[in-house]
């Protein structure tokens, strides 16, 4: 990056086939890209969507492609501005989250590239798990560190049909709301067993081959990628009680939303540093709580990019102001030094 670069990162737009969110995340995104992200010149411009950009999960492969096309058609301003950004040289990155896991499928990722940048499809990149920019940043959606959302074999989605994957326990609970609570609980129990088995398969040679291939794409060595893949392991005996306690606290109004980086941020940055791959920034989304903080015992800064939908949590200005949209900006100077952090964009310029 001898010419320098600027990264814009945002997450959790949750664009679906309807357009009824009062915050209008799709329309606001189009305005943001048009006003804030300039044409690429001597400084490279990157826009990274840190997961849950679309409501695109749990579908058959052909349904995923059709749903993606329908979502973009339902948000024409978004579609047009994403296409215009790619045409003017902006590199677009889409990191998969638990709500748009189907985007990792090769055919769906290829369809997204063809729709947004038909002349230069490489200007649209889909990252099934992690985005790594050496010495600068690591970004992931963050659901892999929440047990009930975790998909241990996440990389399989990028090489095979996601119908083969066991859905996470929380997705199993919500898969068919019309069923009785007893049957839904049974589906969760089966999903927990499936996740336990998947955690064991992550340690077997077949999955290790996927990790080795991923290490080349991420510019990390195999040992580092294996350690990252095994962080936050799903265990039924700890996941379900912890979730029950969290739900009880939320029901009684005592839910805690800390102002510190999550424990996973420390585990990830320490792993990277131990292998000589330290980064200046670790970015995630998923919680819908916009936040910037230090990472304990590390020089890495943590940013959570919050959400652009109406399901805002946390104590940021976006909680009370529907016209405040969180994002992270990271500027990389030609000498490699970085600056930036959490910002809030308002369409009125305030």
């Amino acid at each position: 990056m001898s010419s320098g670069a600027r990264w814009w990162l945002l997450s959790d737009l949750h664009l679906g086939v309807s357009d009824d969110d009062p915050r209008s995340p799709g329309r606001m995104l189009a305005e943001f890209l048009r006003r804030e992200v300039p044409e690429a010149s001597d400084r490279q411009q990157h826009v990274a969507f840190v997961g849950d950009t679309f409501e695109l999960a749990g579908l058959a492969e052909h349904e995923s492609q059709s749903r993606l096309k329908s979502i973009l058609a339902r948000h024409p301003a978004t579609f047009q501005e994403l296409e215009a950004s790619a045409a003017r040289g902006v590199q677009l990155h889409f990191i998969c989250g638990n709500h748009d896991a189907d985007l990792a499928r090769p055919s769906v990722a290829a369809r997204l590239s063809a729709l947004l940048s038909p002349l230069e499809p490489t200007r649209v990149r889909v990252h099934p798990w992690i985005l790594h920019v050496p010495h600068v940043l690591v970004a992931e959606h963050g659901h892999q560190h929440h047990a009930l959302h975790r998909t241990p074999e996440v990389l399989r989605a990028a090489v095979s049909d996601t119908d083969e994957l066991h859905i996470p326990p929380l997705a199993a609970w919500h898969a068919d709301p019309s069923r009785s609570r007893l049957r839904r609980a049974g589906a969760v129990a089966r999903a927990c067993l499936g996740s336990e088995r998947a955690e064991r398969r992550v340690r077997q040679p077949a999955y290790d081959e996927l990790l080795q291939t991923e290490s080349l794409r991420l510019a990390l060595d195999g040992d580092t990628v294996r350690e990252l893949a095994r962080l936050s392991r799903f265990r039924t005996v700890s996941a379900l009680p912890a979730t029950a306690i969290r739900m009880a606290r939320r029901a009684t109004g005592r839910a805690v939303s800390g102002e510190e980086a999550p424990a996973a941020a420390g585990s990830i940055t320490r792993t990277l540093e131990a292998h000589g791959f330290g980064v200046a920034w670790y970015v995630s989304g998923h919680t819908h709580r916009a936040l910037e903080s230090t990472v304990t015992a590390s020089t890495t800064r943590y940013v959570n990019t919050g959400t652009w939908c109406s399901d805002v949590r946390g104590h940021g200005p976006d909680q009370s102001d529907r016209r405040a949209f969180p994002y992270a900006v990271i500027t990389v100077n030609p000498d490699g030094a970085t600056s930036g952090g959490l910002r809030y964009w308002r369409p009125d310029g305030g």
Side-chain angles (χ1 to χ4, degrees):
M1 296 191 197
S2 58
S3 61
R6 178 162 291 152
W7 287 80
W8 314 80
L9 303 103
L10 56 151
S11 70
D12 295 84
L13 280 83
H14 292 279
L15 300 179
V17 293
S18 65
D19 190 22
D20 55 0
D21 191 308
R23 279 166 61 91
S24 301
R27 183 165 58 84
M28 291 299 102
L29 173 64
E31 290 191 31
F32 174 80
L33 293 173
R34 184 169 56 252
R35 295 184 191 183
E36 302 296 327
V37 182
E39 182 176 355
S41 56
D42 60 332
R43 186 195 296 271
Q44 299 174 31
Q45 303 289 342
H46 299 261
V47 175
F49 296 92
V50 191
D52 287 2
T53 307
F54 307 111
E55 289 294 329
L56 193 67
L59 303 170
E61 186 168 7
H62 69 282
E63 293 174 332
S64 295
Q65 295 186 50
S66 298
R67 175 69 64 84
L68 174 63
K69 190 173 181 178
S70 297
I71 291 171
L72 292 173
R74 192 66 182 87
H75 301 272
T78 308
F79 179 19
Q80 293 165 13
E81 196 53 44
L82 286 169
E83 188 178 23
S85 295
R88 63 177 181 262
V90 177
Q91 184 73 52
L92 302 177
H93 303 262
F94 292 85
I95 300 169
C96 297
N98 51 302
H99 280 259
D100 53 11
D102 290 358
L103 198 59
R105 288 170 160 161
S107 61
V108 181
R111 174 62 63 89
L112 180 66
S113 297
L115 288 169
L116 299 185
S117 186
L119 298 180
E120 293 286 346
T122 57
R123 286 188 182 155
V124 180
R125 299 178 185 172
V126 172
H127 306 267
W129 175 28
I130 289 174
L131 165 65
H132 172 234
V133 182
H135 311 298
V136 177
L137 66 88
V138 160
E140 62 175 328
H141 183 58
H143 64 294
Q144 288 294 87
H145 308 294
H146 285 187
L148 296 188
H149 293 285
R150 177 171 165 81
T151 304
E153 299 174 288
V154 63
L155 291 178
R156 284 181 56 195
V159 297
S160 64
D161 196 321
T162 52
D163 295 342
E164 298 176 9
L165 295 175
H166 290 284
I167 63 174
L170 197 57
W173 173 260
H174 291 295
D176 189 354
S178 65
R179 300 172 72 183
S180 69
R181 286 182 173 269
L182 182 61
R183 296 187 69 182
R184 293 168 76 186
V188 170
R190 290 190 293 275
C192 288
L193 289 174
S195 292
E196 294 271 14
R197 296 189 188 104
E199 292 287 5
R200 292 193 290 272
R201 289 194 295 270
V202 166
R203 288 161 167 76
Q204 294 175 357
Y207 196 76
D208 194 68
E209 291 182 11
L210 296 181
L211 292 173
Q212 193 62 41
T213 300
E214 184 72 354
S215 73
L216 299 176
R217 188 185 68 82
L218 293 175
L220 296 169
D221 64 38
D223 289 341
T224 305
V225 172
R226 276 188 288 274
E227 286 192 36
L228 292 175
R230 296 169 185 175
L231 293 175
S232 305
R233 180 178 180 180
F234 176 87
R235 293 179 174 85
T236 304
V237 294
S238 58
L240 295 185
T243 301
I245 292 171
R246 186 165 63 249
M247 292 175 65
R249 292 182 64 87
R250 183 176 298 170
T252 57
R254 294 185 293 122
V256 177
S257 57
E259 298 300 318
E260 300 178 349
S267 299
I268 291 160
T269 56
R270 284 192 295 272
T271 298
L272 292 170
E273 290 168 359
H275 290 271
F277 296 105
V279 292
W281 302 86
Y282 170 62
V283 182
S284 72
H286 184 57
T287 66
H288 291 199
R289 295 182 175 93
L291 173 68
E292 179 178 353
S293 70
T294 58
V295 177
T296 303
S298 174
T299 58
T300 301
R301 294 287 293 176
Y302 170 71
V303 176
N304 188 299
T305 45
T307 182
W308 282 39
C309 78
S310 292
D311 185 20
V312 178
R313 305 164 199 169
H315 302 297
D318 52 333
Q319 180 65 257
S320 57
D321 183 358
R322 285 185 174 178
R323 305 288 282 178
F325 298 89
Y327 68 98
V329 60
I330 298 171
T331 299
V332 187
N333 295 331
D335 63 0
T338 70
S339 61
L342 180 65
R343 304 285 187 269
Y344 290 89
W345 178 76
R346 291 174 171 82
D348 60 5

